[in-house]
């Protein structure tokens, strides 16, 4: 199934990817072939099979509500590109 | 409240911060008010390769809220990712729930003076809260005009319960009443402090209007983040009026996110919503499903206390209280407990209700304390009520005795009356002397009274009360005054 150019541009925008026109064409073809590969599953009769969201046979994996040591503010800010004394500075958000 | 011929249709989306020691998916402290970025780790900062593990206590709290609100608890539930880009969301997705929430449909019963009503709940699901943005440069920390923003991740990943109602509300007042009882219910079971000012209870409203008799819903707008019960009610009513005005002018309501301006009492468009959000929900691969079993549900259900709605209705039946009185007493657990203890001690629910909502509530408000923090225990209060009922203390003096109970936590009501000489003067000879003195001292008023200005009786009574420090027994005083004033 081939994706339209409009669909490719929409998905790129959702992912905040700026694509050139030639990339739209190339990635559109690649993405379409991936979808075609996955859609092979549609050929099977799966009416009686519930959708599987997890391959693991596990449920209720939960942790006790006990605090554990966290990072110091200094450690937390080590990778910040523009640290402020009280936290992570980010550019102004366009409304 | 809405105008003739129109009906408002309102649904609410409520976010409640669950009270836990740690966050939803990591074990950083879940604590309000700490210095920025002190309760953070690799998980809530979204470092590569980390894995979330859900907090058992948060899941249990969420189920308890669902039960208290009358929701079904499905036997299977899972988490989804909700994808969006924003600096308050470092993973670029929020772990939430989509088509398999922890708490399913329910019906919440709301007692009300005009007759109880029911609000259907669509769902309640767990999700993680976003980080807090501090906007530098904008007026009052606002986004508009800010030069840059600083992100504080202490709140990132703390547990939230989102509760979604069906569009079953029809006025700002209904919405406020519903939310107030929902809040009281959540507080009563200890799942959250649900404080709108602190943001641990947040409410958005979906509002539309239609002609009475129409079955299709009108176009709705979303009213955002009203941070008090009063503003919720006013904001909804302002939006209802605005929409009716738009439609009556022949225009159409446009789907939008609206903001209620507290200062002007008006509603304006925050952003238009013509394009639907595309969050691309999909099952969270890092988390396995939740399957609460019957034993767990039984255990959680057994631990629920009496809920406010049931308590209000019990107060009406058990104590014969009018609905608004029962509501005022029964909504909050602490005041309800204090009232019931006083009612038991004095053996009269209506009398106990009057004292609880009168002097005692005024004192709580003035002192800014909750009942358990007040020096006025039900036992000490009962002492005063008995003195008033027996006639030993008059109603004016009772206020002074009550002040004494507040000021002097060790003294009983009897001791205060004794020490401050507040006992009622019923002795006729003693009162007659005062009455004679007042009549003799006010010849002008006596003449006016005798000329027909009978309302001056109140003046004379007041004079006697002043001379006796409010302790004179009023009926005897009035009889003696009439005898003197009418007699000659």
């Amino acid at each position: 199934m081939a994706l339209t150019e409009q669909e490719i541009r929409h998905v790129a925008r959702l992912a905040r990817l700026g694509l050139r026109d030639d990339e739209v064409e190339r990635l559109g073809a690649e993405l379409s072939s991936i979808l075609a590969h996955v859609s092979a599953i549609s050929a099977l009769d799966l009416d009686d099979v519930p959708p599987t969201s997890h391959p693991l046979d596990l449920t209720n994996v939960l942790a006790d509500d006990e605090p554990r040591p966290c990072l110091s503010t200094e450690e937390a800010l080590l990778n910040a590109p523009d640290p402020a004394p009280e936290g992570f500075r980010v550019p102004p958000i366009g409304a | 409240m809405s105008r003739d011929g129109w009906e408002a249709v309102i649904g609410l989306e409520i976010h409640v911060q669950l009270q836990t020691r740690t966050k939803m998916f990591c074990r950083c402290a879940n604590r309000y008010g700490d210095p920025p970025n002190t309760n953070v780790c690799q998980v809530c900062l979204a470092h590569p390769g980390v894995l979330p593990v859900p907090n058992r206590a948060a899941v249990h709290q969420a189920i308890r809220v669902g039960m208290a609100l009358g929701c079904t608890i499905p036997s299977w539930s899972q988490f989804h990712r909700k994808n969006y880009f924003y600096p308050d969301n470092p993973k670029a997705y929020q772990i939430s729930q989509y088509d398999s929430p922890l708490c399913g449909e329910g019906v919440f019963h709301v007692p009300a003076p005009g007759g109880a009503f029911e609000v259907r709940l669509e769902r309640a699901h767990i999700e993680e809260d976003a980080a807090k943005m501090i906007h530098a440069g904008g007026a009052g920390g606002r986004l508009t005009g800010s030069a840059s923003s600083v992100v504080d991740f202490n709140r990132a990943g703390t547990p939230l319960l989102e509760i979604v109602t069906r569009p079953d509300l029809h006025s700002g007042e209904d919405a406020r009443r519903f939310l107030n009882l929902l809040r009281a219910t959540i507080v009563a079971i200890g799942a959250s402090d649900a404080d709108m000012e602190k943001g641990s209870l947040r409410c958005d409203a979906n509002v539309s209007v239609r002609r009475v008799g129409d079955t299709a819903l009108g176009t709705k707008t979303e009213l955002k983040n009203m941070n008090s019960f009063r503003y919720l009610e006013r904001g909804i009513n302002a939006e209802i009026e605005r929409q009716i005005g738009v439609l009556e002018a022949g225009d159409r309501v446009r789907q939008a996110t609206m903001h209620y301006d507290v200062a002007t009492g008006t509603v304006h468009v925050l952003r238009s919503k013509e394009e639907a959000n595309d969050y691309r929900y999909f099952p969270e691969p890092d988390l396995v499903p939740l399957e609460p079993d019957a034993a767990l549900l039984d255990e959680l259900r057994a631990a629920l206390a009496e809920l406010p709605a049931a308590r209000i209705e019990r107060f009406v039946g058990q104590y014969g209280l009018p609905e608004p009185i029962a509501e005022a007493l029964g909504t909050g657990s602490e005041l309800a407990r204090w009232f019931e203890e006083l009612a038991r001690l004095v053996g009269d629910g209506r009398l106990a209700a009057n004292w609880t909502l009168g002097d005692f509530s005024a004192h709580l408000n003035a002192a800014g304390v909750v009942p358990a923090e007040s020096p006025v225990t039900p036992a000490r209060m009962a002492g005063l009520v008995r003195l008033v009922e027996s006639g030993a203390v008059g109603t004016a003096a009772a206020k002074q005795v009550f002040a004494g109970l507040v000021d002097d936590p060790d003294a009983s009501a009897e001791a205060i009356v004794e020490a401050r000489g507040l006992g009622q003067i019923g002795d006729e000879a003693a009162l007659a002397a005062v009455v004679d003195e007042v009549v003799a001292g006010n010849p002008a008023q006596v003449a006016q009274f005798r000329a027909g200005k009978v309302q001056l009786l109140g003046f004379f009574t007041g004079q006697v009360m002043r001379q006796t420090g409010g302790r004179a027994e009023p009926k005897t005083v009035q009889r003696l005054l009439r005898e003197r004033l009418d007699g000659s």
Side-chain angles (χ1 to χ4, degrees), chain B residues 305-320:
Chain B
E306 182 184 34
L307 301 174
R311 184 163 55 214
I312 290 165
E313 299 200 322
R314 179 169 64 79
F315 280 6
V316 171
Q318 181 176 342
Y319 299 109

Side-chain angles (χ1 to χ4, degrees), chain B residues 186-267:
Chain B
I186 290 168
V187 171
I189 65 170
S192 174
D193 64 352
D195 183 334
M196 286 188 102
E197 263 179 44
K198 277 167 54 182
S200 54
L201 174 69
R202 302 169 220 159
C203 184
D204 302 333
N206 290 309
V207 179
S208 66
V209 300
R210 63 184 172 193
R211 293 278 183 192
V212 170
D214 281 359
T215 49
L217 292 170
T219 304
K220 70 181 177 192
T221 59
E222 186 180 14
L223 202 50
K224 275 288 191 196
N225 270 335
M226 289 151 291
N227 59 4
S228 78
F229 286 94
R230 197 158 39 121
Y231 294 147
L232 173 80
E233 177 173 351
R234 289 186 188 169
I236 287 173
N237 286 342
E239 176 57 11
I240 292 169
E241 288 296 317
R242 187 192 69 84
Q243 290 190 13
I244 292 172
V246 166
L247 293 173
E248 287 190 338
D251 203 351
R252 68 183 176 94
V253 173
R254 286 169 178 78
Q255 204 173 345
T257 302
M258 311 296 293
H259 174 82
Y260 175 64
D261 188 331
V262 172
T264 60
T266 56
V267 178

Side-chain angles (χ1 to χ4, degrees), chain A residues 8-9 11-13 16-25 27-28:
Chain A
I8 297 293
R9 290 192 187 278
V11 171
R13 203 181 62 77
R16 302 294 188 273
L17 295 175
L19 300 184
R20 296 187 310 270
D21 289 351
D22 62 311
E23 287 175 318
V24 170
E25 199 171 323
L27 291 169

Side-chain angles (χ1 to χ4, degrees), chain B residues 190-413:
Chain B
S192 174
D193 64 352
D195 183 334
M196 286 188 102
E197 263 179 44
K198 277 167 54 182
S200 54
L201 174 69
R202 302 169 220 159
C203 184
D204 302 333
N206 290 309
V207 179
S208 66
V209 300
R210 63 184 172 193
R211 293 278 183 192
V212 170
D214 281 359
T215 49
L217 292 170
T219 304
K220 70 181 177 192
T221 59
E222 186 180 14
L223 202 50
K224 275 288 191 196
N225 270 335
M226 289 151 291
N227 59 4
S228 78
F229 286 94
R230 197 158 39 121
Y231 294 147
L232 173 80
E233 177 173 351
R234 289 186 188 169
I236 287 173
N237 286 342
E239 176 57 11
I240 292 169
E241 288 296 317
R242 187 192 69 84
Q243 290 190 13
I244 292 172
V246 166
L247 293 173
E248 287 190 338
D251 203 351
R252 68 183 176 94
V253 173
R254 286 169 178 78
Q255 204 173 345
T257 302
M258 311 296 293
H259 174 82
Y260 175 64
D261 188 331
V262 172
T264 60
T266 56
V267 178
H268 60 85
V269 176
L270 201 60
R271 56 182 174 271
S272 74
K273 238 188 170 177
E274 296 293 337
E275 193 183 348
N277 286 314
D278 190 345
Y279 290 123
R280 293 152 294 147
Y281 281 94
F282 64 88
E284 165 59 276
D286 288 344
L287 294 169
V288 298
L290 299 172
E291 289 186 356
D293 62 21
L296 173 67
L297 298 188
D298 286 347
E299 182 191 322
L300 294 175
R301 197 181 297 279
L304 289 179
E306 182 184 34
L307 301 174
R311 184 163 55 214
I312 290 165
E313 299 200 322
R314 179 169 64 79
F315 280 6
V316 171
Q318 181 176 342
Y319 299 109
L321 299 174
E323 185 91 38
I325 303 286
E327 188 181 13
L329 288 168
T331 302
S333 303
E334 286 220 38
L335 192 66
R337 206 173 300 129
W338 195 94
F339 155 72
E340 287 212 88
E341 180 62 10
L342 181 62
R344 190 183 66 77
L345 290 169
V346 302
D348 184 334
R350 283 175 174 260
L351 192 60
N354 286 342
W355 284 100
T356 306
L357 294 178
D359 290 278
F360 185 64
S361 289
H363 146 65
L364 294 180
N365 288 336
V369 295
V370 297
E373 296 165 341
S374 167
V376 186
T377 60
R380 298 177 72 224
M381 187 75 198
L384 172 56
V385 175
R386 288 193 198 100
L387 290 174
V388 173
E389 287 307 295
S390 69
V393 171
T395 47
K399 296 220 175 276
Q400 297 179 54
V401 180
F402 184 84
L405 292 175
V406 175
D407 298 340
D408 188 353
D410 296 323
S412 67

